Structures are given as structure tokens and as C-alpha cells.
Amino acid sequence: MTAVSAYQTVSPVPQNREAQLKAINLLRKERNAIILAHYYQDAEIQDIADFIGDSLELSRKAANTTADVIVFCGVHFMAETAKILCPQKTVLIPDLDAGCTLADDCPAEEFENFRKQHPDHFVISYINCTASVKAQSDLICTSSNAVDLVKQLPKDRPILFAPDQNLGRWVQKKSKRKLTFWPGRCIVHESFSEEALIKLKLKYPQAEVIAHPECQSNLLELADFIGSTSKLLKHSEISLAKSFIVLTEPGILHQMRLRLPGKTFLEVPGIDGCSCNACPYMRLNTLDKVLTCLETMKPQINMDENLRRKALKPIELMLSMSK
Ligand code: 13P
Ligand code: SF4
């Protein structure tokens, strides 16, 4: 087995941690708050979440919750999407600096110029983008529904796909539709080493390789199954394989190991053996910050109402077009 994961279930809970968990639980009740967490959060955050999911599931959960307050343990674009869907709710993010390279590398003004260069194109944007980019898009997708949505688009319309070109290339291959890409990439998924993956495959020939579509195409070509974080988890549950080489952010290994203690999950090191495939933005959220934001009701996600309405349209279209 390669590098020991930081996500193996740890116990027992230290005493001060117990007090902290008690305080979080009291405040969550008092404020009628729901804690939503992405699979790339630290294990201790996943363990206190009311709901854990991929981007699509988290959007759906945010849209349907009866809670007054959403504590979004994920990155900024995810919390922003929750606010777009639920303007009347208070949306908190434990660390406001939890960004995403895909969203950061697609500034709204440059994206507007890019769109203007392709005026006849249908614009489909990955949910990993800012509200301003969403507002300029015809449709939003996630890694879970992108192929299915692109297949539903009119055959005679050319398509712009932003901002992740790795996801875009995979969608192009699966949907057999020609896409024009914005040149964005995720620093985390781009850091996996092909050489390390091949070595692991040779060492564990029975293991299935499961990958997130944000990985580069040379790695995806070596994968047995490709899908969103939730789909990777579901696949590992239904697959007959007993071991898996996991090409995505290692936070998800916590749920895999909790749900499937009899199976083995192997991490793939980054280029030069670095452990750079832990998302530095996702990891900014901590239990301390979850407690602080519930105490202070800050930091909150707020946005201009005009922008929110424009960004809502392509998200609603996505939700209505997704199975
Ligand atoms: P999922 O929608 O598959 O959870 O992906 C979100 C993400 O940011 C992957 O890097
Ligand atoms: Fe963004 Fe990549 Fe982190 Fe996902 S893993 S939030 S795409 S930087």
C-alpha cells in the first residue's frame, strides 16, 4: 500500500473535541442549521455533517432543505450556488478563502470576451465557476450530469464548455459532440503521476482504477470507471472488486473506508511523489471554524439580487434536465 491516508478513521475523540462537538450540535439545533459537506472535507467535518454529497447532490439538498441556515463545508462556488438557490436562507462558509482554481482561472470579463468570439455557441459551464460566469451561461453542469446534459443539446448548435478542459475532453469523448474549451484545469487533479499509477497497477493487478473526470486524459485512459465523487463511491459499493486505486482527492477515502471496511482503497501519489492531491482550498475548513461560524453567523455568502437571478436560470435548467 502507498502513503498512509490521513483519512483513516481515528478514535477516540479527545475531551476538548467532545465539548466542541457538543457546542456545534447545540448551535445547529438553536439556529435550525444544516451542515452540508463535500467528500473532500476533512474526516472530522464529514463525521458531523447532516449530509455529504457531490456538487449535484449538495445543490439539490440546499434547494430542498427546510433549515434556516446552511453551513456549507466545501468551497466558495458551492456555497454561492446554495445562496443562488436559497436567497432567503443564511449561507455560511467556515472559511471564505476556500476557493477553487477552476473558478479563479475563469474571470468574468475574460469569459465575456471568449463568449463574444463564439456568438452562435451554446454555453455550458461546469458548476466550478463564479456566479458571474454562471450568469453568462445557458446551462450549468456537474461532473455527475455533464455527459447526459450535453447529449440533450440540439445537434445543430456548436457548444462552448467552461472552465475545466479535462472534464470537457472526457464529455466530448463520451457524448460524441465537438466542444470548444475554456483552458481551465484543477491543480489537484492535474497533479497525479501517470508513472506512479502504472506502478500501482502492476503491484495490484486485481485493483480497479476509479477516477474523477477532472484528471488528465492520459490518466483517464488507464481508468476502469470514471465519475463524480458520489458515483465513484457508489461504484466501489456495487463493484465485485476488492481493491481500488482512487484517482481523486483523498478526502473521499474516508467514506469509502467507513462504508466498505472489507475493501482496500489505494491513493495515487502526485508527480515527484508529492501529496499535492489534497485540495488546499477544501482543507481550509476546520471544526474550529465550523463552530465559530455557527457562533458568529459569519462569514456569510451575499450577492447582488440581479446577478443571483441571472445565475439561477442555468442552474434551474440543469436541475430540470438532470435525472
Ligand atoms: P464532484 O461534483 O464530483 O463532487 O466534484 C467537485 C469537485 O470540485 C471536484 O474537484
Ligand atoms: Fe477546485 Fe480542484 Fe479543489 Fe475541486 S479539487 S475544489 S476542482 S481546486
Side-chain angles (χ1 to χ4, degrees):
M1 183 159 157
T2 52
V4 176
S5 168
Y7 302 97
Q8 256 142 359
T9 315
V10 281
S11 56
V13 180
Q15 266 193 342
N16 57 346
R17 181 52 46 88
E18 264 179 31
Q20 195 175 40
L21 295 178
K22 219 170 157 188
I24 289 174
N25 286 336
L26 264 174
L27 278 168
R28 138 164 60 191
K29 243 191 191 155
E30 246 174 65
R31 306 237 190 252
N32 188 24
I34 186 171
I35 301 178
L36 304 184
H38 188 263
Y39 290 113
Y40 297 165
Q41 292 295 284
D42 284 339
E44 57 185 16
I45 291 187
Q46 294 187 37
D47 290 346
I48 59 147
D50 295 294
F51 181 80
I52 315 169
D54 68 9
S55 306
L56 181 62
E57 292 166 337
L58 289 167
S59 307
R60 284 203 176 115
K61 193 74 188 172
N64 296 321
T65 182
T66 53
D68 297 315
V69 177
I70 298 173
V71 179
F72 212 115
C73 298
V75 289
H76 191 273
F77 76 81
M78 294 178 173
E80 200 173 53
T81 304
K83 187 68 186 178
I84 294 167
L85 285 161
C86 319
Q88 72 290 359
K89 295 193 192 299
T90 301
V91 179
L92 304 169
I93 181 164
D95 192 314
L96 206 48
D97 289 332
C100 168
T101 48
L102 284 168
D104 294 349
D105 292 347
C106 188
E109 310 75 51
E110 286 174 39
F111 187 64
E112 193 178 347
N113 291 335
F114 179 67
R115 271 196 315 112
K116 282 183 181 157
Q117 288 160 24
H118 306 87
D120 55 338
H121 283 52
F122 185 92
V123 181
I124 176 162
S125 296
Y126 188 30
I127 199 163
N128 298 39
C129 65
T130 61
S132 311
V133 167
K134 287 186 176 76
Q136 298 181 49
S137 307
D138 297 306
L139 178 63
I140 298 303
C141 68
T142 72
S143 57
S144 163
N145 59 19
V147 174
D148 185 43
L149 296 186
V150 167
K151 279 183 180 168
Q152 294 180 50
L153 300 182
K155 296 275 179 289
D156 54 349
R157 269 303 278 285
I159 304 168
L160 278 191
F161 190 94
D164 186 3
Q165 58 180 342
N166 288 324
L167 172 68
R169 287 206 181 90
W170 176 70
V171 172
Q172 175 169 263
K173 190 173 162 196
K174 298 289 286 181
S175 66
K176 299 187 175 62
R177 293 292 304 267
K178 165 100 183 65
L179 308 178
T180 299
F181 307 118
W182 174 269
R185 44 173 61 111
C186 159
I187 42 153
V188 172
H189 287 86
E190 286 234 326
S191 72
F192 289 108
S193 156
E194 183 180 356
E195 196 188 325
L197 173 61
I198 292 169
K199 277 188 189 155
L200 271 175
K201 271 173 76 82
L202 290 171
K203 195 168 172 194
Y204 301 95
Q206 307 298 338
E208 272 193 359
V209 178
I210 57 174
H212 195 279
E214 286 177 15
C215 293
Q216 297 191 81
S217 52
N218 57 328
L219 285 114
L220 292 181
E221 270 158 30
L222 297 169
D224 299 299
F225 180 82
I226 300 167
S228 74
T229 49
S230 280
K231 286 190 175 172
L232 297 182
L233 185 56
K234 274 180 203 128
H235 178 79
S236 59
E237 282 170 342
I238 58 171
S239 167
L240 296 178
K242 290 271 176 281
S243 51
F244 300 86
I245 299 171
V246 185
L247 276 167
T248 193
E249 215 272 6
I252 192 158
L253 299 187
H254 178 58
Q255 286 306 312
M256 290 173 166
R257 288 174 177 148
L258 272 181
R259 294 186 200 186
L260 301 157
K263 295 193 177 186
T264 304
F265 297 94
L266 304 159
E267 289 179 38
V268 183
I271 296 158
D272 302 328
C274 71
S275 50
C276 35
N277 39 32
C279 175
Y281 307 103
M282 288 278 184
R283 299 319 160 94
L284 286 174
N285 297 323
T286 60
L287 268 194
D288 288 353
K289 291 178 194 171
V290 171
L291 178 55
T292 306
C293 81
L294 272 167
E295 277 166 352
T296 60
M297 297 295 276
K298 279 189 212 146
Q300 286 189 21
I301 304 284
N302 286 307
M303 135 184 16
D304 170 75
E305 180 56 14
N306 201 23
L307 172 63
R308 190 194 70 80
R309 279 173 198 269
K310 284 188 188 152
L312 178 64
K313 255 178 92 179
I315 299 174
E316 283 188 330
L317 184 58
M318 168 186 81
L319 293 173
S320 71
M321 286 172 72
S322 307
K323 284 181 203 131

